[in-house]
Amino acid sequence: MSDILKHSVVGVESIEECLFFLTLERNGLAFDPGDCVALHTDSGKSRPYSIASGNSEHELRFLIREMEGGEVSPWLAKRKPGDTVGVSPPFGWFRPGQHAGGGPSVFIATGTGIAPFLAFRETFPDQPPSALLYGVRQRTAAAGLEQVDGWCDTHLAVSREAVPGHHHGRVTELLDGLAMPPDTHYYLCGLESMARDCSNVLQQRGVDLFNIHREVFFHG
């Protein structure tokens, strides 16, 4: 536990019921887009969360879904400015855009899986992917959409309601209209079911498994 440092809370911003941004003081923490940290409660419980802020920002930002009965997310949702949260050193292997070697890349996210792509957006604003596919249940849950819309070819899929201008259905269905040059790398982050289904579709269309990079999100 000696490597767990306390970071002060800057604020909690509600996006919709049970979905929020938690912002902490950065305290000089160095990280790469795609990195996670473990956030610790006062009682020592912890869960990994992907960093959603750019690596030149002065604050750390996390997109968190509060889970009923969870041991960490409900506690984080109740933090107030000036409270402290334990933060581990960064870790992870998911690196959006970094395998493409200058070639095209496509980002695919569901829910809070948009977080590492927001970090990439703020860190490398001049290196947009070829496309970003983003799936949510309701339009109000599309956190960070304003950050990526206009930065790259962004497509939003809303599964549980019809919203003018956006696809009504699963994000997997957006792959049907996507051009797939053979050197494209695909970065998938979100629910395990999305990562599995998108991987299956991509492989069926001839995408090499080496070009598919996945990060599965869990909650708690």
Side-chain angles (χ1 to χ4, degrees):
M1 295 291 289
S2 60
D3 56 351
I4 305 304
L5 301 179
K6 293 289 188 178
H7 291 240
S8 294
V9 174
V10 175
V12 173
E13 177 192 357
S14 177
I15 305 301
E16 64 164 11
E17 185 179 8
C18 298
L19 182 67
F20 61 95
F21 276 113
L22 170 69
T23 302
L24 307 177
E25 292 182 351
R26 181 167 174 177
N27 294 345
L29 188 77
F31 65 90
D32 292 314
D35 273 342
C36 297
V37 299
L39 298 183
H40 290 250
T41 69
D42 288 342
S43 64
K45 302 291 185 182
S46 68
R47 292 289 184 275
Y49 294 98
S50 184
I51 298 170
S53 48
N55 66 6
S56 63
E57 296 186 53
H58 297 298
E59 298 170 334
L60 294 174
R61 194 163 51 256
F62 304 90
L63 179 60
I64 299 172
R65 181 167 296 281
E66 181 180 356
M67 304 303 293
E68 184 177 357
E71 296 183 304
V72 177
S73 58
W75 183 85
L76 293 172
K78 295 180 176 63
R79 296 309 89 199
K80 304 296 183 184
D83 290 347
T84 59
V85 174
V87 179
S88 77
F91 58 90
W93 57 269
F94 189 64
R95 293 289 180 265
Q98 295 188 25
H99 301 87
S105 59
V106 172
F107 296 168
I108 306 173
T110 52
T112 56
I114 193 69
F117 302 135
L118 298 180
F120 184 92
R121 161 68 179 89
E122 297 307 311
T123 303
F124 302 112
D126 59 345
Q127 299 179 34
S130 301
L132 188 151
L133 314 182
Y134 185 11
V136 294
R137 294 176 179 177
Q138 286 88 25
R139 171 61 182 84
T140 54
L145 182 63
E146 69 284 351
Q147 291 176 248
V148 295
D149 196 16
W151 172 60
C152 64
D153 184 19
T154 301
H155 301 269
L156 183 68
V158 185
S159 63
R160 296 192 178 179
E161 62 178 351
V163 180
H166 300 300
H167 177 72
H168 184 201
R170 299 184 64 208
V171 69
T172 314
E173 297 161 4
L174 294 174
L175 292 171
D176 292 341
L178 192 66
M180 296 185 179
D183 59 340
T184 302
H185 281 252
Y186 300 84
Y187 299 86
L188 285 54
C189 188
L191 296 174
E192 194 279 334
S193 57
M194 178 278 289
R196 180 192 64 236
D197 293 347
C198 282
S199 293
N200 288 340
V201 171
L202 291 170
Q203 288 183 268
Q204 289 167 7
R205 293 186 60 181
V207 175
D208 193 307
L209 184 60
F210 177 77
N211 286 26
I212 303 173
H213 314 278
R214 311 190 335 168
E215 175 100 312
V216 176
F217 266 35
F218 299 95
H219 306 288

